[in-house]
């Protein structure tokens, strides 16, 4: 039962000095310190439950996201949780339509990352109060209730609420069997950490991820030369904002049997809508923190189903694996009903800092059993890695003379 009024919201800047080992480095991001703006929601319900939410960042700039979270806080504080989730669409739109903050979005960039952190905390709290892991909360939800969490504004030319309802209704067939399959077998995972470019030549292996480095003609030229190696896809071949560029690359590479994968830096459902409309991708990579939390990811999962494009989520980072496993397991059970050409990224990195870390068995994500969104970090880890006053950073900054 959903209960309690939001009585407190705090946010901390948590950073891990991953740049020291070259972890997470790629052609565009050479020295990332994997970080998170870490939100905690408290209520007056008296049950001791808190909601934890994160959004993933790369170090510098996390303080800006923290500022944005604080700027959004008044939309959440003193609200009854039952009222929030009872009309989640309206609450989502309230956050994303703040008359002044929207100017520095809208629904993208720092403000949208902050929105994701806040909403991730709300979903974690809701799932905990219902005593279910988030994926199970979504799977058990009545289709109409689930759709009431989604803002369909700007995407009805591709997906109406009624079309989404029909998709979810069809997904009811065989749902119980698919849930049992997930509990036994898990969801297929793959890893990309072998291709972090900061690693030495001994550790580095070739992975087809361009990380936005190429212009459109360059992408086509290079991938045409690599076609003999039969790569499954080229990931982020050009600017993530270049929808028509991705479409041109896709058109050129499809005859060669090479797909285009993108989405980890896709701002919102509108960009995904256009990528799908333009046939600009063959593999859609949602991100649990780049989009506006579960609410917006649900709309993209449903659009991907309508276009029959497989979803292969982006993960890694700080907590992204913990979060996105819930979304992709829900997608299989209730939406896509397929594992064909589908897998979820996994990086064996920083999980030890989470209270409910991912469980991988036989190269598959095993469905979380603990209630919530798996977003809660260990308090000791948070204290040690809080920037700039945590023990880890005090030592590092002192050594650097800062």
């Amino acid at each position: 039962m959903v209960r309690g009024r939001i009585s407190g919201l705090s946010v901390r800047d948590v950073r891990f000095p991953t740049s020291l080992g070259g972890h997470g480095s790629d052609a565009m991001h050479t020295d990332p310190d994997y970080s998170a703006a870490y939100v905690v929601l408290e209520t007056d319900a008296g049950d001791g439950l808190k909601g934890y939410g994160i959004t993933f960042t790369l170090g510098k700039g996390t303080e800006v996201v923290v500022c944005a979270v604080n700027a959004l806080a008044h939309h959440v504080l003193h609200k009854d949780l039952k009222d929030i989730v009872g009309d989640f669409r309206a609450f989502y739109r309230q956050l994303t339509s703040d008359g002044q903050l929207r100017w520095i979005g809208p629904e993208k960039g720092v403000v949208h990352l902050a929105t994701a952190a806040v909403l991730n905390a709300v979903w974690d709290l809701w799932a905990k109060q219902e005593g279910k892991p988030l994926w199970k909360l979504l799977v058990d939800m009545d289709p109409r209730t689930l759709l009431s969490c989604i803002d369909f504004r700007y995407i009805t030319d591709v997906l109406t609420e009624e079309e989404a309802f029909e998709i979810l209704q069809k997904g009811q067939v065989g749902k119980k069997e698919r849930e049992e399959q997930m509990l036994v077998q898990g969801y297929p995972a793959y890893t990309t950490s072998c291709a972090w470019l900061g690693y030495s030549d001994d550790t580095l292996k070739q992975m087809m991820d361009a990380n936005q480095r190429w212009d459109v003609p360059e992408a086509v030229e290079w991938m045409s030369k690599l076609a003999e190696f039969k790569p499954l896809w080229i990931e982020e071949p050009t600017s993530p904002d270049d929808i028509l560029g991705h479409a041109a690359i896709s058109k050129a590479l499809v005859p060669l049997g090479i797909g285009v994968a993108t989405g980890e830096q896709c701002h919102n459902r509108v960009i995904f809508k256009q990528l799908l409309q333009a046939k600009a991708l063959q593999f859609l990579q949602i991100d649990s923190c780049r989009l506006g939390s579960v609410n917006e990811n649900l709309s993209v999962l449903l659009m991907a189903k309508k276009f029959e494009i497989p979803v292969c989520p982006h993960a890694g980072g700080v907590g992204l694996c913990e979060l996105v496993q819930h979304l992709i397991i829900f997608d299989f059970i209730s939406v896509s009903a397929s594992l064909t050409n589908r897998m979820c990224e996994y990086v064996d990195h920083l999980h030890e800092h989470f209270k409910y870390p991912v469980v991988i068995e036989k190269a598959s994500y095993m469905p979380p059993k603990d209630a919530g969104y798996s977003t809660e970090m260990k308090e000791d880890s948070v204290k040690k890695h809080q920037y700039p006053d945590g023990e880890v950073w005090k030592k590092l900054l002192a050594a650097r003379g800062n």
Side-chain angles (χ1 to χ4, degrees), residues 181-346:
Q181 180 183 341
M182 284 290 98
L183 290 169
V184 173
Q185 298 177 8
Y187 198 95
Y190 77 101
T191 186
T192 52
S193 59
C194 58
W196 284 340
L197 295 185
Y199 281 178
S200 68
D201 290 342
D202 292 334
T203 17
L204 183 63
K205 294 181 181 179
Q206 182 62 44
M207 183 70 182
M208 295 288 108
D209 188 345
N211 291 114
Q212 314 162 29
R213 289 290 292 188
W214 292 328
D215 280 352
V216 173
E218 277 184 298
V220 174
E221 179 185 358
W222 276 103
M223 292 313 299
S224 297
K225 291 176 180 177
L226 292 167
E228 63 178 292
F229 301 106
K230 303 188 186 321
L232 178 63
W233 71 48
I234 175 61
E235 185 171 333
E236 284 198 317
T238 191
S239 165
D241 296 342
D242 191 353
I243 296 156
L244 297 182
H246 276 86
I249 295 167
S250 175
K251 185 177 180 180
L253 297 186
V254 164
L256 301 177
I258 303 172
V260 170
T262 194
E264 70 179 82
Q265 295 215 21
C266 185
H267 297 299
N268 51 48
R269 65 195 181 281
V270 181
I271 301 295
F272 271 123
K273 178 191 77 169
Q274 294 176 74
L275 287 166
L276 290 165
Q277 286 174 311
K279 299 180 181 178
L281 78 176
Q282 284 71 47
F283 300 92
L284 189 151
Q285 298 175 308
I286 58 170
D287 183 284
S288 50
C289 295
R290 176 74 59 180
L291 294 179
S293 186
V294 179
N295 312 69
E296 193 165 37
N297 271 293
L298 290 174
S299 68
V300 176
L301 292 175
L302 288 161
M303 284 192 290
K305 173 59 179 176
K306 180 177 177 181
F307 283 84
E308 293 297 341
I309 294 294
V311 176
C312 299
H314 170 242
V318 178
L320 295 186
C321 295
E322 277 71 18
L323 272 69
V324 83
Q325 61 180 335
H326 291 271
L327 301 177
I328 200 62
I329 290 169
F330 160 76
D331 179 56
F332 171 69
I333 295 172
S334 298
V335 182
S336 74
S338 173
L339 291 178
T340 303
N341 287 329
R342 289 165 167 85
M343 63 201 105
C344 185
E345 185 175 16
Y346 170 75

Side-chain angles (χ1 to χ4, degrees), residues 320-381:
L320 295 186
C321 295
E322 277 71 18
L323 272 69
V324 83
Q325 61 180 335
H326 291 271
L327 301 177
I328 200 62
I329 290 169
F330 160 76
D331 179 56
F332 171 69
I333 295 172
S334 298
V335 182
S336 74
S338 173
L339 291 178
T340 303
N341 287 329
R342 289 165 167 85
M343 63 201 105
C344 185
E345 185 175 16
Y346 170 75
V347 175
D348 189 11
H349 197 50
L350 300 175
H351 305 295
E352 67 274 15
H353 300 292
F354 283 83
K355 192 171 180 179
Y356 309 107
V358 293
V359 175
I360 299 289
E361 293 180 5
K362 296 180 180 178
S364 295
Y365 280 93
M366 301 310 295
K369 296 178 180 178
D370 295 290
Y373 197 6
S374 306
T375 40
E376 186 175 349
M377 297 176 74
K378 294 176 181 176
E379 182 60 24
D380 185 55
S381 288

